Amino acid sequence: MNITGEEDRIDRESFGRALKTEKFGRNLIYYEQIDSTNAEVKRLLKGDGRTEGTHREAWHGSLVLAEEQTRGRGRLGREWSSPKEGGIWMSFLIEPRLPAESCPMLTLVAAMAVRAAIKEITGLEAAIKWPNDIVIEGRKVCGILTEMAGMSEGFPEIILGIGINGNRRAFPAELKEVATSLALEKGRDIDRGLLIAEVCNSLEKYFLIFEKAGDLAPLKAEYEEYLVNRGRLVRILAEGEEYTGTALGINEQGALLVEREDKSIDTIISGEVSVRGVLGYT
Ligand code: BTN
């Protein structure tokens, strides 16, 4: 339901009108309800999706979108709350012409693309919490989960899952302090179809820059401009170790550079590490 009590559905006409890409979002697979859009991309790759057929049903740029996920997944094995309440739960299949080792960088590229799309459509100033959370006023509006499905013709098949709290108004108790939505920040509902199309437009643009370069060199300065942790004290929670340092920025591979008290600099690679602000989530 939206604020006026009507059923709020993603407006696919609005999406189609605003889509300017060559590939991203052109093959759109839409569900009212699915377990996880990431899991569905994986099935589609095997010709095993909920749509008909036994052939491969997803290719580079394909987008799976759902109004609700019953088993939404987050980073580090966490659950991702994804009710039928104005969320944007979507996953792209991306097949970069790059070695598999380069693919974790895609998650930072996606964060930049989503941040830019949010600004373009809503005017809201969002920031990036390394590596790929999008935050507004210290609260999370978007999370990104990148998974590798396999290899095809020598190139990796990447599933890029993006969860945006679009028109969501309520959060479970444990998320209230750390999460927000675009509608709550804006004070009115947003056109989710339009935002999804802009995410496709923006993602294709940033992706092509990244794919050509093979690393984040051409995007690093912009990423750092919006990096909420930059210059701040952060707590690093790694396996068997927890310490505080100052986040300096990223390197061209997307690792976070953290200066310890003794002035030595650590290169933090995403995956197994959590980064928190000293006073809270950011
Ligand atoms: C995080 O932990 O911050 C990442 C959350 C990613 C959630 C999205 S929603 C669409 C896609 N499908 C999933 O099951 N997860 C991702």
Side-chain angles (χ1 to χ4, degrees):
M1 293 280 187
N2 68 15
I3 200 159
T4 51
E6 297 153 352
E7 192 88 36
D8 178 22
R9 289 266 160 71
I10 292 165
D11 183 341
R12 277 178 285 166
E13 266 182 40
S14 183
F15 170 83
R17 273 197 307 274
L19 192 66
K20 304 275 185 298
T21 58
E22 194 191 322
K23 297 199 169 128
F24 283 45
R26 290 284 161 197
N27 178 28
L28 175 70
I29 301 148
Y30 170 89
Y31 298 110
E32 286 283 334
Q33 188 192 68
I34 197 96
D35 52 353
S36 152
T37 53
N38 270 32
E40 179 64 3
V41 172
K42 221 170 276 176
R43 289 189 292 261
L44 288 166
L45 273 170
K46 291 193 277 170
D48 215 10
R50 278 195 4 201
T51 49
E52 294 289 309
T54 53
H55 55 288
R56 196 171 183 265
E57 297 151 27
W59 46 89
H60 178 63
S62 292
L63 174 61
V64 173
L65 186 60
E67 298 281 358
E68 178 183 12
Q69 295 185 120
T70 52
R71 297 192 62 183
R73 299 200 314 248
R75 283 181 67 228
L76 308 172
R78 297 183 188 121
E79 258 180 53
W80 179 259
S81 153
S82 2
K84 183 178 180 160
E85 203 213 323
I88 297 174
W89 322 128
M90 62 187 191
S91 301
F92 290 91
L93 171 63
I94 303 187
E95 298 177 321
R97 294 324 206 204
L98 291 172
E101 307 81 74
S102 308
C103 292
M105 288 184 254
L106 249 182
T107 179
L108 284 80
V109 174
M112 294 179 75
V114 174
R115 189 218 62 84
I118 289 175
K119 170 75 181 165
E120 178 70 24
I121 300 303
T122 67
L124 289 166
E125 291 289 352
I128 302 171
K129 174 179 171 285
W130 185 86
N132 56 11
D133 286 353
I134 312 280
V135 296
I136 299 180
E137 305 287 343
R139 293 197 157 126
K140 180 158 165 174
V141 281
C142 168
I144 297 171
L145 175 67
T146 312
E147 297 178 280
M148 188 162 144
M151 300 289 285
S152 166
E153 293 165 11
F155 293 107
E157 298 167 314
I158 306 296
I159 302 171
L160 179 72
I162 302 176
I164 307 175
N165 297 321
N167 291 335
R168 205 169 165 183
R169 305 259 164 188
F171 290 92
E174 68 277 12
L175 295 180
K176 272 206 178 101
E177 294 305 312
V178 289
T180 188
S181 72
L182 298 175
L184 285 172
E185 295 301 318
K186 194 71 195 160
R188 62 174 159 75
D189 277 358
I190 56 144
D191 180 337
R192 288 184 293 154
L194 198 58
L195 178 61
I196 294 163
E198 190 52 30
V199 169
C200 294
N201 298 339
S202 174
L203 187 60
E204 186 166 282
K205 184 184 104 186
Y206 284 96
F207 169 76
L208 290 172
I209 296 172
F210 163 66
E211 193 185 40
K212 192 163 170 224
D215 65 21
L216 298 173
L219 298 172
K220 176 174 151 12
E222 185 183 325
Y223 182 90
E224 288 179 332
E225 188 182 334
Y226 297 108
L227 179 62
V228 72
N229 316 93
R230 197 177 190 190
R232 288 199 192 170
L233 275 182
V234 288
R235 250 184 332 128
I236 306 296
L237 314 171
E239 216 178 291
E241 205 193 359
E242 189 176 328
Y243 66 94
T244 302
T246 306
L248 302 178
I250 58 165
N251 67 13
E252 292 178 357
Q253 280 67 48
L256 187 69
L257 304 176
V258 176
E259 188 179 73
R260 293 198 186 222
E261 266 180 22
D262 65 5
K263 300 289 175 211
S264 64
I265 295 174
D266 277 358
T267 304
I268 313 282
I269 297 162
S270 71
E272 280 103 50
V273 180
S274 273
V275 176
R276 293 265 177 284
V278 176
L279 298 175
Y281 166 65
T282 55

